[in-house]
Amino acid sequence: MKEHINVKSIGITLGLLLLTCFIFYLGVAVFISGPKFKYEADILEQEKMIQKEFKDIKDLHRHVFQYTTYVGKEENRWIWFNEKGVAITSREDDTVRFDEARRNVEDKYNTKVNDVQLGYGYNNPVYVVYCELGEVLLDYETLEEVYIIRTGGK
């Protein structure tokens, strides 16, 4: 007896397979990409809010530790902002010690430093030193270690 290929069953199976792929794609687009796009839009909105209030702000960047803060430079001072774009503190530019913070971490941990930025620790401004170990937060005034976030090596 000769077996017949049931074309109708194959068509239904392929259709269900395509429908499953479409639903999976839609789920990824809505439940994974959607929140990511909203998150990025929220960050952009916060940055625009700060730039609207402080028109000459430069080098604006975001830092997340205990709080989400933004740091930017305006003329001769650095300003820290909270998530709502409100200035929470500032420091004169001539008090910034990026090189000392870099050397402090290089000497203490014998590691290569990739970058030094400003951020906000528990209660005050910090230097955020990005190195092979991860992130080392140093107090802005004393250069004492506030916290270390280990992400690799040593």
Side-chain angles (χ1 to χ4, degrees):
M1 193 188 243
K2 214 175 181 184
E3 291 186 32
H4 294 271
I5 297 176
N6 191 341
V7 177
K8 186 177 180 182
S9 293
I10 292 174
I12 290 173
T13 302
L14 287 175
L16 289 173
L17 186 62
L18 287 173
L19 181 63
T20 302
C21 289
F22 175 74
I23 290 172
F24 177 76
Y25 173 77
L26 187 64
V28 167
V30 170
F31 295 110
I32 295 175
S33 299
K36 181 179 180 239
F37 291 139
K38 180 174 179 353
Y39 174 76
E40 290 171 355
D42 288 348
I43 291 172
L44 188 61
E45 184 63 31
Q46 291 165 341
E47 289 176 353
K48 283 182 181 178
M49 192 169 34
I50 292 168
Q51 290 168 338
K52 181 179 177 185
E53 183 76 23
F54 295 83
K55 298 195 183 334
D56 295 331
I57 201 87
K58 302 214 179 342
D59 299 327
L60 186 65
H61 64 273
R62 184 173 189 261
H63 178 250
V64 179
F65 179 59
Q66 184 172 8
Y67 311 103
T68 299
T69 57
Y70 293 85
V71 183
K73 184 177 180 183
E74 182 184 61
E75 293 181 20
N76 295 329
R77 68 182 179 147
W78 290 88
I79 306 171
W80 283 257
F81 303 91
N82 65 15
E83 268 187 299
K84 295 178 178 153
V86 176
I88 52 177
T89 190
S90 67
R91 299 289 190 275
E92 294 301 313
D93 192 34
D94 60 2
T95 66
V96 175
R97 302 181 293 172
F98 288 119
D99 290 335
E100 285 182 56
R102 174 186 297 273
R103 279 193 307 276
N104 183 310
V105 170
E106 286 173 342
D107 293 346
K108 183 173 181 178
Y109 295 104
N110 192 26
T111 186
K112 178 183 177 231
V113 171
N114 300 321
D115 192 20
V116 180
Q117 293 184 354
L118 295 173
Y120 201 82
Y122 291 111
N123 299 312
N124 53 336
V126 295
Y127 294 96
V128 183
V129 183
Y130 297 95
C131 61
E132 293 172 335
L133 294 173
E135 296 177 30
V136 180
L137 277 61
L138 302 176
D139 182 84
Y140 186 89
E141 307 297 335
T142 65
L143 292 179
E144 290 179 15
E145 184 179 304
V146 173
Y147 199 80
I148 183 167
I149 303 168
R150 293 187 185 268
T151 57
K154 302 181 184 179

